[in-house]
Amino acid sequence: MINEQIRDKEVRLIGEDGEQLGIMSARDAYKLAQEAELDLVKIAPTAKPPVCKIIDYGKYRYELARKEKEARKKQKVIEIKEVRLSPNIDTNDLNTKVGAARKFLEKGDKVKVTLRFRGREMAHMSKSKYILDDFAESLADIAVVDKPSKVEGRSMVMFLTAKR
């Protein structure tokens, strides 16, 4: 809230250079802000009484936007990459998939390992669990199992994340 939008009876006022001006009516605070040719901005509405500050509102909004942009720059978006396997996968094919997953993990992404079952393979789901276990074991040096393998419909899924 700024200027005339502030409807509180009393506010705690902070001057433009940061010094406390004490508790006064919102109208008096607004007059002081007008004299300084600046805006009266409510910065802590939940305090008793609310805290208002005399500042240039445009500059204040610009500073907030800049801080927000800096915070966004520092965050890293973690993507989930998927590696699909089948129950009758050969050793060399499995090693190729392990290499792909290793690359994803080194980049900092999570890896979703999916073991897809089709047709009659559905009858032997429990016997194929060792494939996911071998996959996790071969990446044990750089990855840790985030969510252990579990059956979801026609597939068995496991999540891996890079070690800290």
Side-chain angles (χ1 to χ4, degrees), residues 138-154:
S138 58
L139 289 170
D141 57 329
I142 63 160
V144 66
V145 177
D146 194 25
K147 291 181 186 167
S149 57
K150 70 174 185 182
V151 178
E152 290 180 358
R154 293 185 159 269

Side-chain angles (χ1 to χ4, degrees), residues 145-164:
V145 177
D146 194 25
K147 291 181 186 167
S149 57
K150 70 174 185 182
V151 178
E152 290 180 358
R154 293 185 159 269
S155 57
M156 202 178 281
V157 180
M158 173 179 68
F159 285 89
L160 299 172
T161 49
K163 278 185 181 173
R164 295 264 174 242

Side-chain angles (χ1 to χ4, degrees), residues 75-83 97-113 135 139 142-147 158-164:
Q75 19 177 251
K76 187 187 185 308
V77 177
I78 296 174
E79 287 186 35
I80 296 178
K81 301 287 189 174
E82 185 176 16
V83 176
K97 298 282 187 176
V98 166
R102 185 176 295 274
K103 210 184 312 177
F104 295 145
L105 288 164
E106 285 168 354
K107 248 196 267 174
D109 297 326
K110 281 187 175 188
V111 176
K112 177 182 180 182
V113 186
F135 196 91
L139 289 170
I142 63 160
V144 66
V145 177
D146 194 25
K147 291 181 186 167
M158 173 179 68
F159 285 89
L160 299 172
T161 49
K163 278 185 181 173
R164 295 264 174 242

Side-chain angles (χ1 to χ4, degrees), residues 67-102:
K67 283 180 187 170
E68 217 172 86
K69 192 176 175 185
E70 281 295 315
R72 264 200 307 274
K73 225 182 255 183
K74 289 180 181 133
Q75 19 177 251
K76 187 187 185 308
V77 177
I78 296 174
E79 287 186 35
I80 296 178
K81 301 287 189 174
E82 185 176 16
V83 176
R84 286 186 177 170
L85 310 172
S86 65
N88 51 6
I89 192 167
D90 195 44
T91 314
N92 292 327
D93 295 336
L94 187 68
N95 291 339
T96 304
K97 298 282 187 176
V98 166
R102 185 176 295 274

Side-chain angles (χ1 to χ4, degrees), residues 2-157:
I2 60 166
N3 299 334
E4 299 92 12
Q5 296 173 348
I6 300 170
R7 296 261 182 247
D8 301 296
K9 286 182 181 163
E10 288 187 329
V11 294
R12 182 179 302 277
L13 189 63
I14 299 172
E16 53 198 298
D17 44 356
E19 85 277 359
Q20 294 269 347
L21 299 177
I23 297 172
M24 59 179 70
S25 72
R27 194 173 288 127
D28 293 340
Y30 180 54
K31 283 179 187 167
L32 284 173
Q34 280 183 321
E35 287 170 16
E37 295 180 358
L38 293 170
D39 300 303
L40 182 67
V41 180
K42 191 189 283 191
I43 55 173
T46 56
K48 295 279 188 244
V51 180
C52 294
K53 192 173 184 180
I54 297 175
I55 46 177
D56 182 3
Y57 186 64
K59 191 175 178 183
Y60 174 70
R61 292 243 332 258
Y62 170 75
E63 289 293 326
L64 281 179
R66 215 177 85 225
K67 283 180 187 170
E68 217 172 86
K69 192 176 175 185
E70 281 295 315
R72 264 200 307 274
K73 225 182 255 183
K74 289 180 181 133
Q75 19 177 251
K76 187 187 185 308
V77 177
I78 296 174
E79 287 186 35
I80 296 178
K81 301 287 189 174
E82 185 176 16
V83 176
R84 286 186 177 170
L85 310 172
S86 65
N88 51 6
I89 192 167
D90 195 44
T91 314
N92 292 327
D93 295 336
L94 187 68
N95 291 339
T96 304
K97 298 282 187 176
V98 166
R102 185 176 295 274
K103 210 184 312 177
F104 295 145
L105 288 164
E106 285 168 354
K107 248 196 267 174
D109 297 326
K110 281 187 175 188
V111 176
K112 177 182 180 182
V113 186
T114 308
L115 186 58
R116 307 268 320 262
F117 297 96
R118 300 189 336 251
R120 290 189 185 142
E121 295 169 349
M122 294 286 289
H124 309 292
M125 276 183 151
S126 58
K127 292 179 184 167
S128 301
K129 189 182 182 306
Y130 77 93
I131 295 170
L132 289 178
D133 296 338
D134 290 348
F135 196 91
E137 201 175 296
S138 58
L139 289 170
D141 57 329
I142 63 160
V144 66
V145 177
D146 194 25
K147 291 181 186 167
S149 57
K150 70 174 185 182
V151 178
E152 290 180 358
R154 293 185 159 269
S155 57
M156 202 178 281
V157 180

